[in-house]
Amino acid sequence: MELTPVTKASLKKGAKILLEGGLVAFPTETVYGLGADAFNPAALAKVFEVKGRPRFDPLIIHIADLKTLEKTTNLSKLNDEARRKLFTLAENLWPGPLSIILPKNEKIPGIATAGLPTAAIRFPGDSTALELISLSSGAVAAPSANPFGSLSPTKAEHVRDKLGNKLDMILDGGPAKIGVESTVLDISGKEIKILRPGGTPKEAIEKLIGAVQSYNENDNSNAPSSPGQLKSHYAPGKTLSVFNREEIIKKPYKEGEAFLFFDESAKDAWLELQPHPAAVFKVLAKNGQMAEAASRLFDILHELDNDESLTHIIAQLAPDQGLGEAINDRLLRGSQK
Ligand code: TXA
Ligand code: MG
């Protein structure tokens, strides 16, 4: 399938496809989404089928203005404090890489939320996504546009290579700026919890609304409250092993391995100990910046995964703060089989 450049005309065409029950892949600031009209159960069923996604794993509903919260949620079911926190978060962090779990209303079909009484609502910070959503029904359900469990797509080409022939259109808006999925925050229950670390660091949320529970504090992989918590996820086809800085710099190179360092200095320290540095190696944060590392993560993993001379990816964990939490979550889950 051809990639479609983003123009006024292609956005209109994409919106029409959505309104007619079709599937359109589109860029967001985090990763590419596989979009369907959030009010159309038949279109939503196709999303699960195309992704090979289990029906118990709910979708994120994307909106392009706060008015649409009324059409998709039932905020009267939140207590006053949760409602206040929602508006503080919305005012400061939307549009942006944050999905908030809210009580859903009856217009959102059960298949979208896997039968849950709540829905994940996201107001993305990407102009193509926002225009497409506004021109369609105003609410677009979109999981990441990759086969279930595999590496997330940060470029239109990634979508085409894995799902191309199953979609009605792929809008190409260039590489995703953030590169890891949105943070999923549940404010619908007694405790406010991060269900998935992502593009909005925990620190940014806590600055606004106070302490929130971390995803690993409520980890229970037998009964995930958010199926993104399933252990094996975001996995490349090759085996992936993760190490901290001290471990990776001492790890001898073996044939078929690619080394993915977080920082340049770890790579240098490793090279000094290698008698035959004929290996493939990459650095995630070339300029030492976490945001840069996040934006390159999936693209580099796709590239290494597609390299037939390689059998194994050895990756260094990021410092565990800010976006580093999301990077490490993806690496750790990708390394589980
Ligand atoms: O950045 C993103 O969030 C991307 C782009 C396309 O917006 N989307 C994305 O969707 O990552 P997906 O389907 O790959 O991940 C959705 C996550 C899953 O972990 C799902 O379990 C969780 O959100 N989720 C959705 N609705 C939920 C609900 N009602 N309660 C708990 N978790 C929910
Ligand atoms: Mg996904």
Side-chain angles (χ1 to χ4, degrees):
M1 140 157 315
E2 299 270 310
L3 301 181
T4 306
V6 178
T7 61
K8 270 217 163 94
S10 65
L11 284 166
K12 262 197 188 154
K13 189 170 165 209
K16 184 159 178 276
I17 294 173
L18 289 173
L19 286 167
E20 288 168 352
L23 302 181
V24 177
F26 63 97
T28 81
E29 79 279 35
T30 57
V31 301
Y32 273 69
L34 166 50
D37 183 354
F39 301 114
N40 180 337
L44 296 169
K46 279 198 267 179
V47 170
F48 285 92
E49 194 185 302
V50 161
K51 256 191 84 98
R53 183 180 179 110
R55 289 283 180 103
F56 61 73
D57 193 353
L59 306 174
I60 295 180
I61 295 169
H62 296 65
I63 61 174
D65 53 59
L66 288 181
K67 270 195 332 268
T68 308
L69 274 181
E70 281 164 38
K71 287 207 260 168
T72 51
T73 62
N74 182 353
L75 300 186
S76 69
K77 289 201 174 146
L78 288 179
N79 63 37
D80 289 348
E81 194 190 334
R83 227 178 0 251
R84 256 197 321 273
K85 288 184 171 170
L86 165 64
F87 287 115
T88 303
L89 292 167
E91 205 173 297
N92 290 280
L93 298 175
W94 274 355
L98 174 67
S99 299
I100 306 181
I101 309 290
L102 297 168
K104 81 170 194 78
N105 74 13
E106 70 296 339
K107 296 201 186 87
I108 296 296
I111 183 174
T113 65
L116 293 171
T118 54
I121 306 288
R122 162 151 148 73
F123 190 158
D126 176 279
S127 58
T128 299
L130 293 174
E131 280 185 56
L132 180 71
I133 298 163
S134 303
L135 289 168
S136 71
S137 71
V140 174
S144 50
N146 55 320
F148 180 72
S150 71
L151 293 174
S152 297
T154 53
K155 289 181 169 168
E157 290 80 2
H158 297 155
V159 183
R160 181 193 56 203
D161 293 350
K162 296 284 156 64
L163 296 177
N165 53 358
K166 297 178 174 164
L167 307 176
D168 299 303
M169 183 189 241
I170 302 173
L171 280 171
D172 183 359
K177 285 188 201 69
I178 293 180
V180 288
E181 294 84 347
S182 62
T183 301
V184 178
L185 181 73
D186 189 355
I187 67 162
S188 70
K190 269 207 201 102
E191 316 251 13
I192 298 196
K193 294 183 206 163
I194 290 181
L195 301 182
R196 175 178 74 181
T200 300
K202 180 180 178 189
E203 294 89 331
I205 294 170
E206 293 194 322
K207 220 165 96 185
L208 293 165
I209 61 166
V212 299
Q213 233 187 71
S214 265
Y215 65 106
N216 41 15
E217 287 164 35
N218 54 42
D219 194 34
N220 177 353
S221 20
N222 293 325
S225 50
S226 189
Q229 290 183 301
L230 285 172
K231 273 214 162 133
S232 176
H233 216 89
Y234 312 105
K238 306 215 152 89
T239 47
L240 168 68
S241 309
V242 295
F243 299 91
N244 63 32
R245 194 175 187 285
E246 290 69 51
E247 292 165 339
I248 198 171
I249 61 181
K250 289 192 217 124
K251 191 159 183 347
Y253 163 68
K254 286 207 213 90
E255 183 134 359
E257 289 178 341
F259 277 65
L260 175 54
F261 295 98
F262 180 78
D263 58 290
E264 203 69 40
S265 70
K267 181 198 82 182
D268 293 342
W270 176 75
L271 277 177
E272 269 180 31
L273 295 174
Q274 295 307 308
H276 309 291
V280 174
F281 46 83
K282 302 262 176 200
V283 178
L284 215 48
K286 277 206 173 128
N287 299 309
Q289 272 150 20
M290 195 66 101
E292 183 200 12
S295 73
R296 288 159 51 84
L297 175 68
F298 281 119
D299 192 30
I300 291 182
L301 288 174
H302 276 284
E303 192 188 319
L304 297 175
D305 209 25
N306 291 335
D307 184 336
E308 285 178 2
S309 71
L310 300 171
T311 53
H312 206 107
I313 303 167
I314 308 288
Q316 178 191 352
L317 291 167
D320 211 16
Q321 64 212 13
L323 286 177
E325 261 198 282
I327 294 173
N328 290 344
D329 172 74
R330 306 306 186 266
L331 285 173
L332 286 163
R333 283 180 211 282
S335 70
Q336 307 282 329
K337 284 280 161 183

